Amino acid sequence: MTWELKTDRPIYTQLVDQIKLRIISGIYAPGEKIPSVRDLAFEASVNPNTMQRALSELERDGLVFSQRTSGRFITEDEKMINEIKDSLAKEQILEFFEKMEKLGYNKKDTLTLMENTLKEMA
Amino acid sequence: MTWELKTDRPIYTQLVDQIKLRIISGIYAPGEKIPSVRDLAFEASVNPNTMQRALSELERDGLVFSQRTSGRFITEDEKMINEIKDSLAKEQILEFFEKMEKLGYNKKDTLTLMENTLKEMA
Amino acid sequence: MTWELKTDRPIYTQLVDQIKLRIISGIYAPGEKIPSVRDLAFEASVNPNTMQRALSELERDGLVFSQRTSGRFITEDEKMINEIKDSLAKEQILEFFEKMEKLGYNKKDTLTLMENTLKEMA
Amino acid sequence: MTWELKTDRPIYTQLVDQIKLRIISGIYAPGEKIPSVRDLAFEASVNPNTMQRALSELERDGLVFSQRTSGRFITEDEKMINEIKDSLAKEQILEFFEKMEKLGYNKKDTLTLMENTLKEMA
DNA sequence: GTGGTCTAGACCACC
DNA sequence: GTGGTCTAGACCACA
């Protein structure tokens, strides 16, 4: 997994999203230690301050916590991780419904079209 | 409706997509004349050549046709417009399925989650 | 019928060919008077001298003859016209054979391919 | 083999045709790498953009494919090459029939005339 | 070095 | 005025 950054919205929010994705998908497992700010910043080719801000955001949400001397860790609260996962999913769903409405499909149309698509693929 | 251009893929493909959207949504109706290359280019703040390329692409697909001296027109073949609409929709759906799979939902999970979301909203 | 002039060979030879075509196809009938050099030159957007040269060429071949006071006329010798027709046709044929050989068809292949094409069209 | 460009139709279409000829005649063999855009453009004394356009056209037809960093290659699908060959041949034939009709020979006359020409040459 | 994209500005044919 | 072509020169990502 790599870092993909676009220019259409603040970089730190994109970092937040991508780290969330890594947590949800288990790339960063619950309780695991994550790389240092400096390493992450280097990896993503962003300024350490920007990465710092992203991590603070995640800390505020409770997804990661820092231990002064030994570094940052992913929360062990798997329930919280699942909640984040669901909320991200809902975001995606709403965004998707919007796009489909631009194309002239209302939510119900969208669902039936997806069911058909699924059958075709099988 | 305005022109939104990002930097993560060729401008001319984005122009193609956005014009397709305008055709599908009826902003540009079948048989209707569309603005000149130069006007569209100015409107979207791109070089006329780039807009020209986008329009050529649409012409190759049969969505617009040009009459050398009098301008460009949307096809009157509404069936073709609907086909484009469907194919764009399918693209969106597949893209969406992929994103959801990154979040850990397979296609079936995604569908049931969407149905629940729909119920909640009602 | 209009005058089509390219830049890849002398204009006067092109004029000769096109006037020959007009004679063969009957646009200029045997014995008929043709327009004045000046008019023809104007029509074809070439210098009168160039048109003059073309007509001299045709005169040398005996396809047109001039009567000092009353203008230029197409020969009445239909046999000669037919000979010209045949020679032009042969030129075309040889040129065509050459092109087909560039594509990898020898003369015999070319003929059979043409016969097939003819059948398909019927 | 050199590049012959006339002024009576777009350069890029002529480039397309001539490259097709090179492919068909085996000058560019299936699977072989062809010179870079810049080199071809220099060779043909055209702007790199123009050559690029010609090559894109060929790529769309599937006759060549490009590998972004290592260059462009002729397709290995010899069947497709043969199809192109046949379609070019048919074009030539139709064009030739038209010219002969201008001379007053219908398609059947043309064929018999060609057969006679062939016998004479033998 | 490769292919690819984009801009700027020019010219053409057509009506 | 319209669409279309061409050149010149720049920049990018990739490896």
Side-chain angles (χ1 to χ4, degrees):
Chain A
M1 186 165 191
T2 75
W3 296 92
E4 283 177 23
L5 297 176
K6 308 195 172 176
T7 58
D8 60 344
R9 60 194 185 96
I11 291 184
Y12 83 94
T13 64
Q14 300 183 55
L15 295 176
V16 166
D17 288 350
Q18 296 196 24
I19 298 172
K20 277 186 183 170
L21 256 182
R22 293 179 181 209
I23 296 172
I24 288 165
S25 64
I27 297 179
Y28 296 154
E32 187 184 343
K33 184 180 176 186
I34 59 178
S36 73
V37 181
R38 286 183 53 183
D39 288 352
L40 283 172
F42 176 78
E43 201 186 315
S45 314
V46 300
N47 188 294
N49 288 324
T50 309
M51 184 58 82
Q52 174 70 40
R53 181 162 180 191
L55 291 170
S56 305
E57 203 79 10
L58 290 166
E59 206 155 325
R60 200 171 49 77
D61 292 349
L63 268 177
V64 311
F65 60 94
S66 50
Q67 241 150 358
R68 260 191 198 275
T69 57
S70 55
R72 270 200 183 70
F73 298 82
I74 304 298
T75 180
E76 293 177 349
D77 181 351
E78 306 204 17
K79 199 178 142 202
M80 169 178 292
I81 292 179
N82 277 325
E83 276 169 14
I84 296 289
K85 179 178 155 187
D86 288 353
S87 82
L88 277 188
K90 273 194 188 161
E91 258 178 46
Q92 288 294 343
I93 290 174
L94 294 182
E95 203 177 286
F96 172 64
F97 273 143
E98 257 182 38
K99 278 187 191 165
M100 292 299 284
E101 258 159 30
K102 266 197 195 164
L103 284 177
Y105 296 93
N106 66 28
K107 297 190 181 60
K108 221 180 153 187
D109 290 348
T110 298
L111 271 179
T112 56
L113 185 57
M114 287 176 77
E115 279 156 12
N116 292 339
T117 307
L118 209 54
K119 278 177 199 157
E120 277 176 32
M121 294 174 70
Chain B
M1 186 162 191
T2 74
W3 297 93
E4 283 176 24
L5 297 177
K6 309 196 171 175
T7 58
D8 59 344
R9 61 195 185 96
I11 293 182
Y12 80 94
T13 63
Q14 299 184 55
L15 295 176
V16 166
D17 287 350
Q18 295 195 26
I19 298 172
K20 275 185 185 170
L21 261 182
R22 292 181 181 207
I23 296 174
I24 287 166
S25 65
I27 295 180
Y28 294 152
E32 189 184 339
K33 185 181 175 184
I34 61 178
S36 75
V37 190
R38 291 157 173 81
D39 288 354
L40 282 172
F42 176 78
E43 204 184 317
S45 312
V46 299
N47 186 284
N49 282 324
T50 307
M51 185 56 82
Q52 171 83 18
R53 179 162 183 189
L55 291 169
S56 306
E57 212 78 12
L58 289 168
E59 192 145 9
R60 195 186 310 266
D61 291 351
L63 270 177
V64 310
F65 60 94
S66 53
Q67 247 147 358
R68 252 185 134 88
T69 61
S70 59
R72 265 200 186 75
F73 300 83
I74 304 297
T75 180
E76 293 177 354
D77 181 351
E78 308 204 16
K79 199 179 142 200
M80 168 174 294
I81 293 179
N82 279 324
E83 278 170 14
I84 298 289
K85 180 179 153 185
D86 289 352
S87 81
L88 280 187
K90 273 199 186 157
E91 257 178 49
Q92 290 293 345
I93 289 174
L94 294 181
E95 205 176 286
F96 172 64
F97 271 143
E98 261 184 32
K99 278 187 189 166
M100 292 299 284
E101 258 158 32
K102 268 193 194 167
L103 284 176
Y105 296 93
N106 67 27
K107 297 191 182 58
K108 224 179 156 189
D109 291 347
T110 299
L111 270 181
T112 57
L113 183 58
M114 287 176 79
E115 278 156 11
N116 292 339
T117 308
L118 209 55
K119 278 177 199 158
E120 278 175 32
M121 295 173 71
Chain C
M1 185 163 190
T2 75
W3 297 91
E4 283 176 24
L5 297 177
K6 309 194 171 176
T7 58
D8 60 344
R9 60 196 183 94
I11 292 185
Y12 83 95
T13 63
Q14 300 184 54
L15 295 175
V16 167
D17 287 350
Q18 296 197 25
I19 297 172
K20 277 186 185 169
L21 256 183
R22 292 179 182 211
I23 296 173
I24 288 164
S25 65
I27 296 179
Y28 295 153
E32 188 185 341
K33 185 181 176 187
I34 59 178
S36 74
V37 181
R38 287 183 53 185
D39 288 353
L40 282 172
F42 177 77
E43 202 186 315
S45 314
V46 300
N47 189 293
N49 288 326
T50 309
M51 185 58 81
Q52 174 69 41
R53 180 160 181 193
L55 290 170
S56 306
E57 203 81 8
L58 290 166
E59 207 155 324
R60 201 171 48 78
D61 291 350
L63 268 176
V64 310
F65 61 92
S66 49
Q67 241 149 358
R68 264 195 195 272
T69 58
S70 55
R72 268 197 184 72
F73 298 83
I74 304 299
T75 180
E76 292 178 350
D77 181 350
E78 306 204 17
K79 199 178 144 203
M80 168 177 294
I81 293 180
N82 277 325
E83 277 168 12
I84 297 290
K85 180 178 153 185
D86 288 353
S87 81
L88 279 188
K90 274 196 187 159
E91 259 178 47
Q92 289 295 343
I93 289 174
L94 293 182
E95 203 175 288
F96 172 64
F97 272 141
E98 259 183 37
K99 279 186 189 166
M100 291 299 284
E101 257 159 32
K102 267 195 194 165
L103 284 177
Y105 295 93
N106 66 28
K107 297 191 182 57
K108 218 177 158 190
D109 291 347
T110 299
L111 272 180
T112 57
L113 185 56
M114 287 176 78
E115 278 156 12
N116 292 339
T117 308
L118 210 56
K119 277 177 198 158
E120 277 177 32
M121 295 173 69
Chain D
M1 187 164 190
T2 74
W3 297 93
E4 284 176 24
L5 296 176
K6 309 196 171 176
T7 59
D8 61 343
R9 62 196 185 94
I11 292 182
Y12 80 94
T13 63
Q14 300 183 54
L15 295 176
V16 166
D17 288 350
Q18 296 194 25
I19 298 172
K20 276 186 185 169
L21 262 182
R22 292 180 181 208
I23 296 174
I24 288 166
S25 65
I27 296 180
Y28 295 153
E32 188 183 342
K33 185 179 174 186
I34 60 177
S36 75
V37 189
R38 292 156 172 81
D39 288 353
L40 283 172
F42 176 78
E43 201 184 293
S45 312
V46 299
N47 186 285
N49 282 325
T50 306
M51 185 56 81
Q52 171 85 17
R53 180 161 183 189
L55 292 169
S56 306
E57 213 76 14
L58 289 167
E59 192 145 12
R60 193 185 313 268
D61 291 351
L63 270 178
V64 311
F65 61 94
S66 52
Q67 248 148 357
R68 255 185 132 89
T69 61
S70 59
R72 267 199 187 74
F73 300 83
I74 304 298
T75 180
E76 293 177 353
D77 180 351
E78 307 205 17
K79 199 179 143 202
M80 168 173 294
I81 293 180
N82 278 324
E83 277 170 16
I84 297 288
K85 180 179 155 186
D86 288 353
S87 81
L88 280 187
K90 272 198 186 159
E91 257 178 50
Q92 289 294 346
I93 289 175
L94 294 181
E95 204 176 286
F96 173 64
F97 272 143
E98 260 184 35
K99 278 187 190 164
M100 291 300 282
E101 257 158 31
K102 268 194 195 165
L103 284 177
Y105 296 94
N106 67 28
K107 298 190 181 60
K108 223 179 154 187
D109 291 348
T110 298
L111 271 181
T112 55
L113 184 57
M114 287 176 78
E115 279 156 11
N116 292 339
T117 308
L118 209 54
K119 278 177 200 155
E120 278 175 32
M121 295 174 70

